[in-house]
Amino acid sequence: MSDQAATIGPVSTADTDFNEDRARHEALSAEITEHRRRYYAENAPTISDARFDELMRELIDVETRHPELKGADSPTEQVGTFSEAFTPVRHLEKMLSLQDVFNEEEVRLWAERVSEEAADAQYLCELKIDGLAIALVYEEGRLVRAATRGDGVIGEDVSANVATIAAVPQQLRIAEGLDMPELLEVRGEVYFPSADFEKLNESRVAAGEAPFANPRNAAAGSLRQKDAAKTAERPLDFIAHGLGALRGFRPHSQSHAYAALDAWGLPTSPYWRVVDTMEEVFDYIHEFGRQRHALVHEIDGVVVKLDDIASQRRLGATSRTPRWAVAYKFPPEEVNTKLLDIKVSIGRTGRATPYAVLEPVRVDGSEVEFATLHNADQVKAKGVKIGDTIVLRKAGDVIPEVVAPVVAARDGSERDFAMPESCPECDWTLAPASEGDVDLRCPNARSCPAQLRERLFYLAGRSCFDIDRMGYIACTALVQPLSPAEPVLKDESGVFDLHMDELLPVRVVVRDPDSGLPKIDKKTGEDKTATPFARKPDPKTGEVLPRKTAEAMLENLRGAKSQPLWRVINALSIRHVGPVAAQALAEHFGDMDRLIGADEAELADIDGVGPAIAASVKDWFAVDWRREIIERWRAAGVRMVDEAPSGTEAVAKTLAGATVVITGAIPDHTRESAAAAVKARGGKVTSSVSKKTSAVVAGDKPGSKHDRAVELGVRVVPGEEFEQMLAEGLGEGDESDPE
Ligand code: IVH
């Protein structure tokens, strides 16, 4: 304290104000920094965003009154220091890379070598984050520089960009029991959160910019922006995973170092684990191999490090990598392969879908030969040509995807794909279903073998009749026009009239039952769709579809006739009608004939249906051969009317003729049960409010439908009066305006 400051005398009001502001500035800075840490590093904010903004505004006010309080480390300064270009900087200590290994055997070999220098070593397992390495230099707790790895010796100064990453503290926290180190060089990974990646690419494509291939590139591209304000717009995050130069801090183990970094407010991974045995190392690898896509960031493997730092020192490093660590790389999810051809498959509603025929390649644990290309526009948008080397991505359960062509690998022999003019299976001319439709369809809906096969397979599936033994092979067999014989089924109307004599002689020719795509001979490229399926005729009977299979299939078909109405509706393969819409239709009409007779407006008004489905349903029933399906199924005994739920009869039709909209939470009801209660009383439930609406039942948090009702003068029934409305009806006011 200076002599002057110690002088005793009258204290002015201005001084008191300044002292108060200074104390408030310090408190606010610490509080905001801590909230940023909780928000970004721990994903566990303890205050609302609005409250955070209030604190920030107050800090700005204080700094406006006293600009001298605003140091370079103020939270208000964390965004907005811009650099013109990146300055090369020499790292205090070389930034090393990691030795990669690809199987357990190689991890064991590494561990054996290590054990010569460090017996009974403990291993620290952690995730290999797929991001961008940076080195942060803290002097006396203040961040003075951030640099990319560069060549390991010289990196780029990205301090201004890193200043925009909220997870990276500008000032380390005071930690109990730990001295603030004079010098602390922290290494870690800047990453782009996986959840934000798709959004980023969508907006880039919309703005005419090239999309990033993966979150790692997005992280690098976002960090290395000349204009740090652009970096600030990206949701970059950071995790520390190592140390460089140190003064005033001597951790004895990697885990000890992580605990200290954490205490100083530097984000560390929540997933690291110290283990004693190789078996535990492999458990860790398997555990995170399974969770690979459930993490906030991408990982491409697991890093195994010796925990003990004295052992790390003894082992040292080669010119490129430390000997005390190894990176176990997961199998890649992106590989290159050749695009041999682009073919077209026809779906159950006739849609023609181009798909890639690939040189078979192993990716993410399985062999891939085909990948869908969705439609001709997509083929164009991706810019792929037949004969290209392409990037193929397959991750977990996700279907294989052609990412992009490797343009540099072209030799001029590649050719553009042109959508065929006719159906590859029945030769009818493909056409869009309506003007402006990007998809081409085969108009031979009734008996195109492809469409019928796919419809039968769907009809036999879990969400329809659930017919065991009527798999892809059987469906294929039933529709195949094998010369000179006619196919057993020309459409699905006869499916419940099938009998043994018809089934036994069928021959089976299939596409690959797993992928649903044509089976192509790997060597010759020959399409095996045209060759008999490998199942040999039974040597005793000569039957191809074994009698037992046929018997079981017929038995299951008999049992399937009593499936509820929604499954029957779903089995019709009406465009846009899946299980959800089928259930809405069945619930509303309860009877196939009422559905057939419904007009488009009534259909469109049903909750979960809407105009597109309504039009599609009307189109479907307008076709004679389709109505014939219903009649033949009905004659065969397929259920066409849902039984009324027990007790329904006893309920008085208090709401007959009334149209009710339900909004908000109704006491003691779910949305479904409330709707069912209205319907059971003869009322109709719709989703939008119009002048014709008899009443809007407005529960808790009712939203815009309530406002619309008030606007149109439609009666509003409070949620608490719902039961009363059910019991007594709507009284005088329920006559809807005949308009
Ligand atoms: S330790 C001296 N730990 O992987 C040890 N690196 O392929 C050097 N990486 O350049 C790195 N996650 O950018 C380490 N948990 C982790 C990591 C990790 C990702 C990156 C790092 C390094 C690269 C090497």
Side-chain angles (χ1 to χ4, degrees):
M1 208 181 269
S2 74
D3 288 345
Q4 237 175 345
T7 311
I8 298 180
V11 180
S12 75
T13 339
D15 281 345
T16 323
D17 284 351
F18 177 77
N19 286 339
E20 263 173 30
D21 274 341
R22 188 172 52 192
R24 188 70 191 133
H25 185 272
E26 202 173 303
L28 278 169
S29 299
E31 197 175 345
I32 289 170
T33 306
E34 173 61 11
H35 283 306
R36 274 202 170 137
R37 191 191 66 79
R38 285 187 195 163
Y39 184 90
Y40 288 100
E42 291 181 5
N43 294 323
T46 49
I47 57 167
S48 68
D49 290 358
R51 175 73 190 131
F52 180 87
D53 292 343
E54 259 176 40
L55 294 173
M56 201 65 183
R57 269 196 300 273
E58 198 188 336
L59 185 68
I60 292 167
D61 281 348
V62 176
E63 289 183 353
T64 313
R65 282 198 297 279
H66 306 288
E68 66 275 31
L69 289 176
K70 177 168 161 172
D73 54 355
S74 163
T76 59
E77 283 294 275
Q78 286 203 4
V79 180
T81 24
F82 307 126
S83 76
E84 284 304 308
F86 302 115
T87 314
V89 284
R90 181 173 288 274
H91 292 298
L92 301 180
E93 255 182 31
K94 191 169 175 183
M95 277 184 88
L96 297 169
S97 186
L98 285 166
Q99 181 204 338
D100 291 336
V101 295
F102 299 94
N103 56 51
E104 295 187 0
E105 185 50 28
E106 289 176 328
V107 185
R108 279 190 204 284
L109 286 174
W110 167 79
E112 271 169 31
R113 275 198 307 274
V114 157
S115 66
E116 289 163 18
E117 290 292 331
D120 300 327
Q122 284 197 306
Y123 307 103
L124 182 136
C125 303
E126 62 188 26
L127 303 177
K128 187 162 191 312
I129 303 159
D130 209 2
L132 180 78
I134 56 164
L136 306 172
V137 179
Y138 286 90
E139 285 173 5
E140 303 291 356
R142 261 202 66 205
L143 180 64
V144 296
R145 197 183 75 197
T148 62
R149 192 169 72 135
D151 65 2
V153 178
I154 308 282
E156 298 159 316
D157 189 330
V158 285
S159 304
N161 308 71
V162 168
T164 71
I165 304 175
V168 176
Q170 295 288 309
Q171 174 71 47
L172 298 183
R173 264 187 311 199
I174 310 272
E176 217 184 297
L178 281 172
D179 290 335
M180 188 57 81
E182 192 184 327
L183 173 72
L184 176 73
E185 191 188 12
V186 180
R187 271 84 186 269
E189 212 75 2
V190 169
Y191 66 89
F192 198 98
S194 316
D196 298 307
F197 177 65
E198 218 164 287
K199 259 184 284 158
L200 173 75
N201 266 356
E202 265 170 31
S203 65
R204 285 180 72 82
V205 172
E209 293 165 321
F212 288 115
N214 52 46
R216 202 212 86 82
N217 288 1
S222 302
L223 186 75
R224 298 177 67 258
Q225 288 281 339
K226 289 277 155 60
D227 180 355
K230 291 229 171 80
T231 306
E233 288 167 11
R234 307 278 170 79
L236 293 178
D237 218 326
F238 172 78
I239 283 181
H241 55 54
L243 297 171
L246 300 175
R247 264 199 312 273
F249 175 47
R250 285 182 71 84
H252 52 79
S253 66
Q254 190 86 13
S255 49
H256 168 214
Y258 287 167
L261 296 183
D262 200 42
W264 285 321
L266 278 156
T268 54
S269 171
Y271 300 115
W272 59 263
R273 187 183 299 164
V274 177
V275 301
D276 296 313
T277 65
M278 270 292 114
E279 268 35 67
E280 291 168 290
V281 169
F282 297 137
D283 286 347
Y284 184 92
I285 290 173
H286 299 151
E287 189 179 325
F288 284 95
R290 284 192 299 273
Q291 294 185 38
R292 190 172 172 180
H293 299 288
L295 301 165
V296 292
H297 47 63
E298 299 270 303
I299 58 172
D300 59 349
V302 159
V303 184
V304 187
K305 299 173 177 172
L306 280 194
D307 192 33
D308 180 52
I309 288 189
S311 305
Q312 291 185 2
R313 289 228 178 79
R314 268 203 308 284
L315 278 151
T318 68
S319 64
R320 220 181 58 83
T321 62
R323 294 194 184 86
W324 47 265
V326 77
Y328 176 95
K329 298 290 286 276
F330 290 141
E333 293 179 330
E334 277 183 11
V335 291
N336 287 358
T337 189
K338 269 256 182 292
L339 176 61
L340 300 176
D341 202 356
I342 297 179
K343 295 203 168 197
V344 169
S345 71
I346 304 292
R348 73 190 163 100
T349 60
R351 190 169 77 184
T353 308
Y355 64 92
V357 180
L358 306 167
E359 200 167 271
V361 61
R362 268 198 96 70
V363 49
D364 193 36
S366 56
E367 187 162 271
V368 177
E369 300 184 55
F370 306 105
T372 179
L373 289 162
H374 303 289
N375 57 49
D377 281 6
Q378 275 245 353
V379 180
K380 216 167 166 187
K382 288 189 195 271
V384 286
K385 291 170 184 264
I386 297 166
D388 261 338
T389 298
I390 52 117
V391 178
L392 177 81
R393 181 174 167 82
K394 160 131 184 15
D397 292 337
V398 180
I399 56 167
E401 186 199 2
V402 174
V403 181
V406 182
V407 177
R410 284 186 178 154
D411 63 8
S413 66
E414 301 77 15
R415 59 195 165 89
D416 283 326
F417 164 73
M419 197 69 177
E421 284 174 5
S422 58
C423 171
E425 297 208 35
C426 72
D427 221 22
W428 280 43
T429 304
L430 298 174
S434 57
E435 220 175 300
D437 198 341
V438 290
D439 295 323
L440 289 180
R441 287 172 192 275
C442 166
N444 182 14
R446 182 178 185 189
S447 40
C448 166
Q451 292 187 58
L452 181 52
R453 175 182 65 229
E454 301 300 324
R455 286 205 303 271
L456 279 177
F457 186 57
Y458 185 73
L459 160 167
R462 285 271 162 81
S463 63
C464 297
F465 288 109
D466 198 9
I467 302 162
D468 210 13
R469 301 304 177 93
M470 194 166 152
Y472 209 76
I473 297 170
C475 293
T476 309
L478 293 170
V479 305
Q480 220 134 65
L482 282 181
S483 176
E486 285 285 291
V488 178
L489 292 175
K490 282 214 186 66
D491 62 39
E492 57 269 58
S493 62
V495 71
F496 289 99
D497 300 322
L498 286 170
H499 45 85
M500 276 307 255
D501 309 348
E502 289 171 306
L503 293 183
L504 293 179
V506 301
R507 291 287 174 275
V508 190
V509 177
V510 288
R511 301 190 310 163
D512 185 89
D514 289 332
S515 65
L517 295 165
K519 194 102 182 111
I520 309 282
D521 189 292
K522 287 177 198 168
K523 291 201 187 82
T524 62
E526 179 201 356
D527 185 341
K528 283 194 176 168
T529 316
T531 62
F533 181 62
R535 186 197 290 263
K536 298 216 169 53
D538 185 303
K540 283 193 222 124
T541 64
E543 294 161 359
V544 175
L545 193 62
R547 178 178 281 271
K548 267 197 178 152
T549 308
E551 272 169 1
M553 186 173 115
L554 290 180
E555 180 58 35
N556 292 324
L557 274 164
R558 276 192 290 277
K561 292 177 190 174
S562 56
Q563 289 282 24
L565 184 61
W566 75 265
R567 289 172 173 273
V568 183
I569 297 171
N570 195 29
L572 299 175
S573 281
I574 302 171
R575 203 174 155 203
H576 304 312
V577 176
V580 174
Q583 285 181 41
L585 291 167
E587 197 183 313
H588 184 86
F589 294 107
D591 181 335
M592 186 67 88
D593 287 333
R594 284 193 58 211
L595 169 61
I596 296 170
D599 66 29
E600 203 168 317
E602 182 182 4
L603 286 164
D605 235 12
I606 300 169
D607 221 358
V609 177
I613 296 179
S616 182
V617 169
K618 283 317 282 178
D619 285 353
W620 197 94
F621 284 113
V623 177
D624 289 346
W625 67 266
R626 287 176 166 153
R627 294 281 284 275
E628 185 61 24
I629 297 173
I630 306 282
E631 293 323 314
R632 285 194 62 186
W633 286 6
R634 192 201 304 272
V638 174
R639 175 162 159 180
M640 295 290 164
V641 180
D642 266 346
E643 284 151 25
S646 60
T648 314
E649 258 56 58
V651 175
K653 299 284 181 253
T654 49
L655 295 169
T659 304
V660 175
V661 172
I662 301 170
T663 178
I666 311 296
D668 302 327
H669 276 282
T670 62
R671 184 60 63 83
E672 289 72 27
S673 74
V678 171
K679 285 181 208 162
R681 284 156 184 83
K684 201 163 108 180
V685 177
T686 61
S687 56
S688 58
V689 183
S690 75
K691 276 189 141 179
K692 290 188 181 163
T693 307
S694 316
V696 170
V697 181
D700 198 21
K701 303 210 179 77
S704 64
K705 287 180 190 169
H706 169 267
D707 299 348
R708 180 94 179 118
V710 174
E711 195 178 53
L712 292 175
V714 170
R715 183 163 163 193
V716 176
V717 175
E720 309 82 72
E721 290 172 25
F722 181 63
E723 294 297 340
Q724 192 184 340
M725 180 191 88
L726 294 177
E728 297 169 8
L730 288 161
E732 293 285 88
D734 71 342
E735 285 305 315
S736 53
D737 187 335
E739 256 192 338

